[in-house]
Amino acid sequence: MRSEVARLDVISIAALCLLLLLGGCAGLRGTGDMGVVIEREAGRVLVVETTGQSIVSKVQGLGNLSHASVVYSRDARYAYVFGREGGLSKVDILRGRVVKRIVQAGNSIGGAISQDGRLVAVANYEPGGVKVFDADTLEPVADIPAVYGDGGQRSKVVGLVDAPGQRFVFSLWDAGEIWVVDMQNPAAPQITKFKDIGKNPYDDLLTPDGRYYAAGLFGENGLALLDLWHPEAGVTRIMQDYGRGDEPLPVFKMPHLEGWAIAGNYMFVPAIGHHEVIVFDTRDWKEVKRIPVYGQPVFVMARPDGRQIWVNFAVPNNEKVQVIDAASLDIIQTLTPGKGVLHLEFTPRGEHIWISVRDEDRVKIYDTATFKELKSLPADKPSGIFFTTRAHKIGL
Amino acid sequence: MRSEVARLDVISIAALCLLLLLGGCAGLRGTGDMGVVIEREAGRVLVVETTGQSIVSKVQGLGNLSHASVVYSRDARYAYVFGREGGLSKVDILRGRVVKRIVQAGNSIGGAISQDGRLVAVANYEPGGVKVFDADTLEPVADIPAVYGDGGQRSKVVGLVDAPGQRFVFSLWDAGEIWVVDMQNPAAPQITKFKDIGKNPYDDLLTPDGRYYAAGLFGENGLALLDLWHPEAGVTRIMQDYGRGDEPLPVFKMPHLEGWAIAGNYMFVPAIGHHEVIVFDTRDWKEVKRIPVYGQPVFVMARPDGRQIWVNFAVPNNEKVQVIDAASLDIIQTLTPGKGVLHLEFTPRGEHIWISVRDEDRVKIYDTATFKELKSLPADKPSGIFFTTRAHKIGL
């Protein structure tokens, strides 16, 4: 009798161990095909994978996720989620849980991870400046207040990106300045300030090679351009006709600059307030063509091979997506994913695109060669979609 | 007594389970910072990671690995290792073991993985052609013999790459042809053949955007160029002065084309037989400059941000590495890692470079900003180094 009880114990413990083994190891998988989808109102992210096109887990408790953005650790395991109300959350996408969460400011607008992956920086509106954290622990490393003028004022910070050489670059909305911060020695950031770059820089982009930093100006036309290979040359002005124009039209949503598409020598740019995508030649920054599109463009994104440009639109035209052929500069496809198309993300080699459709509570997946809808996943008011391949990119 | 034995059983089984649990889950980690180093003579690969700069595991039994190359599954978990004697091995870098190994030909020269990650293709010398396998199972999917002329001959195949649109592109050494194979329907590959492209194409490159396929010609000067955006325009000849020249010098090792560096609008190319790196402008394929270097260049690689070009050399100059500044086109650094520098691989965002030093049985890691040696790892006659970020790249 005793030995039977013991045998049962042995069997049940073995079974328990097997369960633990399977459960504990369920996360054993490559992270190259993973990503997260922001569910903005639920304060949650969906962890997804693009091979089986499925939802792997849901991670809650991330606070206000309107306008949230994400960068990844260099091993592509941890997603750093930047919320609007100063929240910075480190999410383990393999285990599907929050590792650490801090609230580091009152109001913030995205962040970046350093070239070596050791530092995470956040751009803050309130208090204006950049805070830098240890990527492992989220312990504070550096605080860079965006003081300007007589030193008594602090500016909102926008357009924070990482750049080669362990640098962060960002713009000061109120001050009209661009700052380049060298973090080689995290304890003593070296700041280079470029002043009078233009009125109210509102967003920025870094070219994919990490060389040119361009700031869009809300207060005037043109872009402020800094060549990071030649900072001694200072900031110059390009694309002088680009902007809101002399008679600004109502703008329903300011276009994002980070999404601007560079394909070959052309840059595809959303017009502000107009139903146009403007094509510039990056060799001389001159306008090549204005392509009429369905609405006010928001994101203008190049497929990773540069052959197609995908565009979504502001209200009231946010139910459609259009595709421009980068060779002919013609629109070759118009899709109607549904009301509230907020974001688009290509799979790393561009065969598919994932589109968040807020008002339908869906993420839809399309084949970029056939334009067929392949699958649709349920998501609660989805906004940004971020795949792990971003871990390896410069300037996000 | 019985119950004590049973209790011991319970304890030992629990301990065993715990070991299994720990052992089985030791592999739980992101794969974004991983890679493999080929140990050519041992028929082995070292699985490495670039955050802690360490060796994670060693995987044996891969056969002849001279001239071996590697591509990755789209989840960055599996390395497909192409050996010289027709071996194709699928290695699980998380578990550190061979999942499957086949010998699919007598003599082969590298391979590629399709855009969607479902197909692995191998370029074979003997029998001449391309074989395509299911990436999951390595079961055969398609056999494409490289027949030419009257159909009775088969050519050696070189320069096999993947291209956007689920295509493979490769060249026929004996036939002087370039073939583009559309694998949208794996059961019925669609082959487009370009004939008379030049004498003895020996290696190829695809520009990083997947648009231009260029074949180097052993039998004459110049490169055969195919614009995959405009295949109807056929193959043209570029860089007419490039090649072995009218009075060929002894060539100690043919330079690799896949390593050719594109930085901004410049392409940095190893001269054949000469101690020079040649700079071409990709806008008109004209020569810009010839940079004298220490030896006959083999690999000419751009740091991911394009600012630096790193060069290694053929015997008897293979103990050094030189660095060219892409802005000034000057040599800014000469390093001496040691005899037998065979390969160089940058970390994804370019802060470090890993260099295999065969005759010292070492892989050395350098900081690309300070040029300091950071660490050196033991490796048995290391050759190729391949990081998982390749999973997301077009044209490898």
Side-chain angles (χ1 to χ4, degrees), chain A residues 382-395:
Chain A
S383 56
I385 305 173
F386 304 93
F387 294 147
T388 53
T389 184
R390 289 169 175 259
H392 310 308
K393 289 193 179 160
I394 296 164

Side-chain angles (χ1 to χ4, degrees), chain A residues 110-137:
Chain A
I113 187 163
S114 64
Q115 185 181 29
D116 70 357
R118 294 182 194 279
L119 303 171
V120 173
V122 193
N124 291 323
Y125 279 4
E126 184 50 49
V130 168
K131 286 189 181 170
V132 183
F133 301 90
D134 182 292
D136 269 344
T137 62

Side-chain angles (χ1 to χ4, degrees), chain A residues 17 25 51 74 114-115 349, chain B residues 17 25 51 74 114-115 349:
Chain A
C17 286
C25 295
T51 302
R74 69 197 303 289
S114 64
Q115 185 181 29
R349 293 209 275 161
Chain B
C17 286
C25 296
T51 302
R74 69 197 303 289
S114 64
Q115 185 181 29
R349 295 208 276 161

Side-chain angles (χ1 to χ4, degrees), chain B residues 176-197:
Chain B
E177 297 182 7
I178 294 173
W179 290 14
V180 178
V181 180
D182 182 331
M183 295 296 298
Q184 293 283 0
N185 178 358
Q190 299 297 313
I191 306 174
T192 306
K193 301 177 183 178
F194 298 87
K195 301 190 174 185
D196 301 318
I197 61 112

Side-chain angles (χ1 to χ4, degrees), chain B residues 101 368 382:
Chain B
R101 175 172 159 76
T368 65

Side-chain angles (χ1 to χ4, degrees), chain B residues 75-197:
Chain B
D75 62 359
R77 174 173 181 174
Y78 299 101
Y80 298 92
V81 183
F82 304 100
R84 192 58 193 255
E85 294 179 333
L88 167 57
S89 308
K90 182 177 178 179
V91 174
D92 181 345
I93 61 171
L94 281 178
R95 291 196 192 271
R97 64 184 187 210
V98 179
V99 174
K100 179 116 194 214
R101 175 172 159 76
I102 59 172
V103 176
Q104 54 81 44
N107 194 332
S108 48
I109 185 75
I113 187 162
S114 64
Q115 185 181 29
D116 70 358
R118 293 181 195 280
L119 303 171
V120 173
V122 193
N124 291 323
Y125 279 3
E126 184 49 48
V130 168
K131 286 188 180 173
V132 183
F133 300 90
D134 183 289
D136 269 344
T137 62
L138 298 193
E139 291 298 315
V141 170
D143 187 358
I144 304 167
V147 291
Y148 70 102
D150 62 7
Q153 298 152 288
R154 290 176 71 155
S155 171
K156 289 180 184 168
V157 168
V158 298
L160 169 64
V161 296
D162 68 282
Q166 193 68 357
R167 291 178 293 179
F168 291 117
V169 188
F170 51 87
S171 296
L172 280 61
W173 160 270
D174 305 289
E177 297 182 7
I178 294 173
W179 290 14
V180 178
V181 180
D182 182 331
M183 295 296 298
Q184 293 283 0
N185 178 358
Q190 299 297 313
I191 306 174
T192 306
K193 301 177 183 178
F194 298 87
K195 301 190 174 185
D196 301 318
I197 61 112

